[in-house]
Amino acid sequence: MAGGGRLVFGVSGVRGVVGEGLTPEVAARFASAMGTWCGGGCVVVGRDTRPSGETLRGSVLAGLLATGCDVVDVGICPTPTVQLAVREHGAAGGVVITASHNPGEYNGLKFVSPRGIFLTPEEGIQLREIAEGGAFRGERPGARVREDPQAPGKHLAKVLALSLLDVSRIRAREFRVVLDVGNGAGGAVGIPLLEALGCQARVLNAEPTGVFSRGPEPVPENLAELSREVVGGGADIGFALDPDGDRLSIVTEEGEAIGEEYSLALAADLVLSRAGGGTVVTNLSTSRMVEKVAERWSGRVLRTPVGEVHVSLRMMADHAVVGGEGNGGVILPEAHFGRDGAVGMALVLELLADRGITASAAARGLPRYWMIKRKTPVAEGLVGRLAEVLWPFVAGAEVETSDGIRAAWEDAWLHVRISGTEPVVRVVAEAEDRSRAEALVEEALRLVSQG
Ligand code: MG
C-alpha cells in the first residue's frame, strides 16, 4: 500500500488517502483536466459506496461543469456500469470515483475514454499534464448535470442478453447462491442478476455503506464468512466481488475459496468451448490455467503488461473472444471491453448449467498450480536493470520483457516487475510443484534485493 500522503498515479487513474493525497481540490483539478481532455463534451460520472464518494462527487461535478461539460450522473454502481454507460450515452468520457479493492480510507478517480475502456498510458500522461499545467477549458452557459438511474438496469439487460447465456436453462437449475458484495457497489447489478437467473440468492455484507466488514479484496483469506455461509446454507456456489464490482472470486459448494485465478479460467473454458477456439488475452501475471484451457479448445493465449487497459486494447486489436486478468477480472467483448463481475458470474453459472456439474467439479477440471506472490522494496539502482539482474537466472527459459521480465519453463513461470503504483518489486511464480514456485520466488527476491 502506498504512503498515505501521496497521490498515486496508476495506468489509468489516481488514488490516495482521502483528505491527504486525495483532497476535494485534487479531485476537482483532475475532473477539470478530464473535462478539458474530453473537449467539453458529455462525461459520465459514477462512484462506489465509500462514504467519501459523496464529497468527491461534488468536486468532480464542479470540475467538469467548470470546463463546459454536461454530466450524466449514474450514481452508486459498479465500475463496468460506468464503462458501459459511456458507450450507451455516446459520451466523450467517464469518471469513476473508486479506490477499487484498496482499504476504506482510500478513494480515487479512474478515467474512461469514449471507447468505454480506461485511458491508455499515453492518454493518462496527457491528462496528468493538463492537470498539472492547469490550462483548463472555460465554462459553457447551460452545462448541466442529469441523472441516469437506469444505468445499472441497462447493464443488467446487457448481461442477460448475452448470446452465450441460456437463461431459461440456468433458471431451471434454481441455483442456491451466496453473494458477498462486501458493502460495495457490485450488488447494484449482481443482486438483480442472480434474481433474473432464477437463483435463490442470499446476500452477505449487502449494506452499500462503503464501510467494509471484510477485507475489500475478494481473496480467499477475506472469504471465511462466505465459505461458512455456503456450506451452512447448502448453497451450490458462493461469489465475492470487490467494492467496485469488477473482480469476482468463487467459493465452491464444499466451502473452498478457490481464489480469483479460477474466474477467468472457468469463463474462458465456457467461451472457447462455444466459439470453437479463438484468442484469449490476459496479463503476464495470470495463471497458466488459461493456457491449459485454450489448449483444450485449440485456442491461443496472448499476454500483455499488467493493467486492465493493456488487456482491453489487445483484445480489441486481436479480436479476442474472451480475456481478463487473474485477479478475478473477466472481460467479454460481447458485453464490453472492461472487467465485469456480473459478466463473470453469468458465465460461471452458464458453465455449471451447460455441463451439469458442481462448482467443485468445474474447479477440479482445471490443472492445479501453486502460485506465490511476494513484493520487496525497490533496491537502489534496480530501475532499468531488472532484466539484466535476472537474465543469468532465467537463461534457457522463454523470456518476455514487455513488463519487467517473465520467464517460462515447461513446469513453471516467474514474473518480476516494478510496480507502477508502489515503490516495490512484485514477484510472482507459478508451478506444478509448490517447492519449485517457492524456490523461484526466493531466488528472484534475493537477486533483486542485491540490485
Ligand atoms: Mg475493482
Side-chain angles (χ1 to χ4, degrees):
M1 191 51 51
R6 290 200 304 131
L7 185 67
V8 178
F9 293 86
V11 175
S12 312
V14 294
R15 68 157 198 268
V17 172
V18 175
E20 296 180 22
L22 183 62
T23 59
E25 292 74 20
V26 168
R29 180 152 45 85
F30 272 88
S32 284
M34 186 62 180
T36 303
W37 186 84
C38 289
C42 170
V43 177
V44 176
V45 175
R47 67 189 195 278
D48 73 19
T49 52
R50 285 161 212 264
S52 57
E54 184 63 32
T55 302
L56 292 173
R57 167 181 172 271
S59 301
V60 167
L61 297 191
L64 290 169
L65 290 169
T67 49
C69 294
D70 285 321
V71 175
V72 175
D73 183 356
V74 294
I76 292 176
C77 64
T79 289
T81 306
V82 178
Q83 292 172 308
L84 261 176
V86 167
R87 292 226 320 239
E88 161 88 24
H89 288 278
V95 180
V96 195
I97 303 164
T98 178
S100 190
H101 60 277
N102 290 279
E105 63 269 29
Y106 282 78
N107 214 328
L109 305 176
K110 296 207 95 179
F111 301 101
V112 181
S113 78
R115 289 187 285 182
I117 63 173
F118 291 132
L119 297 195
T120 65
E122 295 75 23
E123 291 167 340
I125 290 166
Q126 291 168 3
L127 185 82
R128 184 175 174 175
E129 285 173 357
I130 298 170
E132 289 172 349
F136 302 138
R137 286 179 66 91
E139 286 181 68
R140 177 175 56 80
R144 65 189 187 108
V145 178
R146 68 195 156 96
E147 294 184 356
D148 177 12
Q150 305 305 322
K154 286 181 248 179
H155 183 177
L156 172 65
K158 186 97 183 169
V159 177
L160 289 171
L162 292 173
S163 60
L164 283 164
L165 295 192
D166 184 337
V167 172
S168 56
R169 186 173 53 185
I170 297 175
R171 289 185 63 88
R173 282 286 299 267
E174 298 180 351
F175 286 114
R176 283 160 300 176
V177 180
V178 186
L179 172 63
D180 182 349
V181 296
N183 309 103
V189 178
I191 295 167
L193 173 68
L194 293 177
E195 282 167 10
L197 293 176
C199 301
Q200 299 171 35
R202 171 164 155 58
V203 184
L204 297 184
N205 303 312
E207 309 73 27
T209 54
V211 178
F212 305 132
S213 41
R214 63 158 164 86
E217 210 168 358
V219 292
E221 53 267 36
N222 292 333
L223 304 180
E225 184 194 11
L226 177 59
S227 293
R228 278 196 308 275
E229 291 291 330
V230 166
V231 174
D236 297 301
I237 194 166
F239 289 125
L241 299 170
D242 78 332
D244 66 325
D246 55 3
R247 289 170 55 181
L248 168 73
S249 101
I250 297 166
V251 169
T252 71
E253 80 286 0
E254 295 168 348
E256 188 190 357
I258 54 180
E260 298 168 285
E261 295 287 337
Y262 278 87
S263 305
L264 173 58
L266 292 173
D269 198 7
L270 175 78
V271 175
L272 291 173
S273 73
R274 296 285 176 78
T279 299
V280 185
V281 176
T282 192
N283 71 37
L284 289 164
S285 276
T286 296
S287 172
R288 194 175 258 182
M289 281 193 287
V290 176
E291 260 100 4
K292 296 298 168 186
V293 165
E295 277 170 25
R296 189 178 287 170
W297 304 108
S298 304
R300 65 166 180 165
V301 175
L302 301 178
R303 299 260 182 183
T304 71
V306 172
E308 174 176 330
V309 70
H310 295 295
V311 177
S312 304
L313 290 168
R314 193 70 190 267
M315 288 182 71
M316 288 174 162
D318 285 273
H319 308 287
V321 293
V322 65
E325 296 190 296
N327 58 14
V330 175
I331 302 177
L332 187 70
E334 190 188 343
H336 60 108
F337 284 90
R339 298 176 305 173
D340 190 330
V343 165
M345 288 195 286
L347 294 180
V348 170
L349 291 175
E350 173 67 26
L351 179 81
L352 301 187
D354 179 36
R355 300 194 186 162
I357 55 175
T358 61
S360 61
R364 279 196 304 272
L366 296 171
R368 195 135 217 183
Y369 295 112
W370 293 95
M371 187 184 272
I372 300 186
K373 299 182 184 184
R374 296 272 295 278
K375 60 184 177 181
T376 186
V378 181
E380 203 170 326
L382 185 69
V383 175
R385 290 185 53 244
L386 196 58
E388 184 190 329
V389 165
L390 288 162
W391 203 261
F393 178 49
V394 301
E398 193 182 312
V399 175
E400 145 83 59
T401 56
S402 63
D403 180 14
I405 182 164
R406 184 182 193 270
W409 294 267
E410 193 67 32
D411 66 329
W413 59 265
L414 169 73
H415 186 204
V416 184
R417 57 186 284 271
I418 294 175
S419 169
T421 52
E422 292 179 69
V424 297
V425 182
R426 294 189 193 282
V427 179
V428 185
E430 187 186 55
E432 292 162 13
D433 182 74
R434 183 178 189 158
S435 58
R436 168 89 161 122
E438 279 169 352
L440 286 171
V441 167
E442 289 307 322
E443 182 60 9
L445 285 171
R446 193 182 69 78
L447 290 167
V448 299
S449 61
Q450 286 173 352

